Amino acid sequence: MRLLRSSASFPPALRGAVAAIGNFDGVHLGHRALIAAVHAEADKAVKPRAVITFEPHPRRFFVPSSAPFRLDALETKARILNGLGINATLALPFDATLAAQSPQDFVDHILARDLGLGHVVVGYDFTFGKARAGNTDMLRELGARHGIGVTVVAAQGDGEAYSSSRVRGLLEAGDVAAANRQLGRPWEILGVVEHGDKRGRELGFPTANVALTDFQIPKFGIYAVRAVLDGEVHDGVASLGIRPTFDQTDVKLEVYLFDFSGDLYGRAMRVEFHAFLRPELKYEGPEPLKIQIAADVVAAKAAMAGR
């Protein structure tokens, strides 16, 4: 996985590359159509394949107070793109300087001078430059001055265009199965296992408390999940919510892994969401909750069977 964090780190070997440009949040099926176009052009020109994205997400820069909304961590995005055959992912720092850059300067200074791209691939609704003043027609015009070809990919969808916003809406509704179909993979959260209140251990189901950062929060409830730790894969059941039985208010992701024992604290965990089992409920104390968790384990194992 080659993840670059500035245009200065773009190596000479990648000059002339065919690159897709966009946020690529979720790397959903619409994004994958852009990647397919990159491969088609790179195969013809025998050139490297790259993705140019932005970090932080521009929405986070312009509206820093917005609720968590990202579908992927940058590292997750780069890993998925690498698996799709992309040679390098460049995350351009999205700051005040980049936000104020005109469309012409973005093409002249970044795409042509700094990166030396040979061809770019964008979506039909791509905009760029200060106040989003640049569009696909302007990109073609400005790119032609530097010999940079441009491919614009039409909207992709199943009657409705695939989009990161659409995936977020499905997750908020708890329809993780539909969200995963839009993504072409299970949606996941990447986080570090933290110390919790150890109530799961007291109930007989020790859980890993996975830190939540700037991720989209799906519907509160119980999910069948698959966790990946340093290449090890474990199925499990996860609770996402505020734990109303214990009158808590902070949002937690707690994961119980089947047939696992060991110390997880401080380890990075990828939690893939495969199925929504039920909404979060309040129980009259620990014993009814314990009975329900046992039933949730059975339901999660059935949901994960054969996956």
Side-chain angles (χ1 to χ4, degrees), residues 102-153:
S102 70
Q104 181 169 338
D105 284 347
F106 179 74
V107 174
D108 292 350
H109 298 165
I110 295 181
L111 303 188
R113 183 192 66 193
D114 295 349
L115 306 181
L117 298 179
H119 197 99
V120 297
V121 176
V122 297
Y124 67 101
D125 56 351
F126 179 71
T127 57
F128 64 105
K130 183 179 180 180
R132 304 174 71 179
N135 57 22
T136 55
D137 289 337
M138 186 181 294
L139 182 63
R140 285 192 175 102
E141 177 186 341
L142 294 172
R145 300 177 187 180
H146 299 280
I148 299 174
V150 176
T151 295
V152 178
V153 177

Side-chain angles (χ1 to χ4, degrees), residues 165-214:
S165 296
R166 185 178 174 191
V167 174
R168 293 186 192 106
L170 291 168
L171 291 173
E172 289 173 354
D175 196 348
V176 67
N180 290 349
R181 288 193 294 272
Q182 301 290 310
L183 294 170
R185 62 179 176 89
W187 180 68
E188 65 183 64
I189 283 179
L190 173 66
V192 175
V193 179
E194 302 178 318
H195 287 276
D197 53 25
K198 297 182 173 55
R199 285 200 179 94
R201 187 180 305 278
E202 294 169 1
L203 294 169
F205 300 93
T207 58
N209 295 276
V210 181
L212 295 171
T213 54
D214 194 23

Side-chain angles (χ1 to χ4, degrees), residues 70-87:
R70 291 188 63 153
L71 296 173
D72 288 324
L74 176 60
E75 294 79 7
T76 299
K77 185 187 304 185
R79 188 194 82 241
I80 295 168
L81 291 169
N82 180 72
L84 295 174
I86 294 300
N87 301 122

